[in-house]
Amino acid sequence: MSKTGIRNFAFGLLVATIILSPPAFFPFDFAASEENPSTDETNSADTSSNTNDGDVEQADEAALKAEISSLEEELETAKEDQEQLADELEEQETSENNQHSEDGENSDDETVRLYLGVSSGMTAGEIAAILEESEIIDDRSDFTAYIEDNDMMMDVRSGEYELTNELSIPEIAEMITS
């Protein structure tokens, strides 16, 4: 999973938590909402009701503030977790890149050997294709261009040759044409 994918996943979890958590912290009491005094009562009842509503509103406001601070703490924790995951992912990618570069260095240092059998009628292009597939040369067009530029097309001799990737194109051409 990519770094961006992990970040998006963590952000999704955070958003889902924020969306789904209010019912757990703010349960709605249907029975209490039905017990509210009706508007047909006297003014004195309305005055006492307003005083109780003010207390309830202050309590609700305090609960909301507590919930907000709790959610802010959760958000901060989620951000720290996200940063930690991002750091771990970066370290893992760095170690993988180092491992791949070490593997690449080892393969460059290894000597590749090829026992090439050239039969009569083989063209320089066919030989170049074999050399490129065996990683003796990097580019077959360089080999064929060298053979053509030095008029060695007709000088290729059949036989068995031991070649390595340490040989240059002129050295390989000299081996198969002499």
Side-chain angles (χ1 to χ4, degrees):
M1 185 178 269
S2 70
K3 183 187 261 187
T4 305
I6 290 175
R7 285 183 181 163
N8 289 338
F9 179 74
F11 182 74
L13 286 177
L14 176 66
V15 170
T17 302
I18 291 171
I19 290 172
L20 298 176
S21 64
F25 293 105
F26 302 111
F28 185 73
D29 189 8
F30 289 102
S33 66
E34 292 175 3
E35 294 176 4
N36 286 340
S38 66
T39 56
D40 294 338
E41 296 181 9
T42 62
N43 286 340
S44 64
D46 286 340
T47 307
S48 66
S49 173
N50 287 341
T51 309
N52 289 339
D53 286 343
D55 293 340
V56 171
E57 287 176 6
Q58 288 177 351
D60 286 344
E61 188 176 322
L64 285 173
K65 287 181 181 179
E67 176 63 22
I68 289 172
S69 66
S70 172
L71 288 174
E72 287 174 345
E73 289 174 7
E74 286 181 30
L75 178 63
E76 189 63 33
T77 304
K79 284 181 180 179
E80 290 171 0
D81 290 345
Q82 181 183 9
E83 289 174 5
Q84 182 182 6
L85 286 172
D87 291 341
E88 289 175 5
L89 180 64
E90 189 174 325
E91 288 174 12
Q92 184 180 10
E93 288 175 348
T94 303
S95 67
E96 286 177 3
N97 288 341
N98 290 341
Q99 184 179 11
H100 288 302
S101 67
E102 288 174 5
D103 292 344
E105 290 172 5
N106 289 341
S107 65
D108 289 344
D109 292 342
E110 287 184 23
T111 301
V112 177
R113 293 196 184 283
L114 172 69
Y115 295 96
L116 176 66
V118 177
S119 60
S120 63
M122 281 184 81
T123 65
E126 293 171 335
I127 296 170
I130 294 169
L131 295 175
E132 184 180 38
E133 288 174 16
S134 302
E135 297 180 357
I136 300 297
I137 60 173
D138 294 326
D139 188 16
R140 72 177 76 181
S141 61
D142 291 342
F143 182 80
T144 54
Y146 182 83
I147 294 288
E148 289 174 2
D149 291 344
N150 291 299
D151 294 325
M152 298 178 160
M153 295 291 286
M154 302 304 286
D155 297 336
V156 175
R157 301 189 187 267
S158 60
E160 303 237 348
Y161 304 97
E162 181 180 349
L163 306 173
T164 67
N165 61 341
E166 295 173 347
L167 296 172
S168 67
I169 290 176
E171 291 172 329
I172 295 170
E174 183 66 32
M175 287 178 73
I176 66 172
T177 57
S178 56

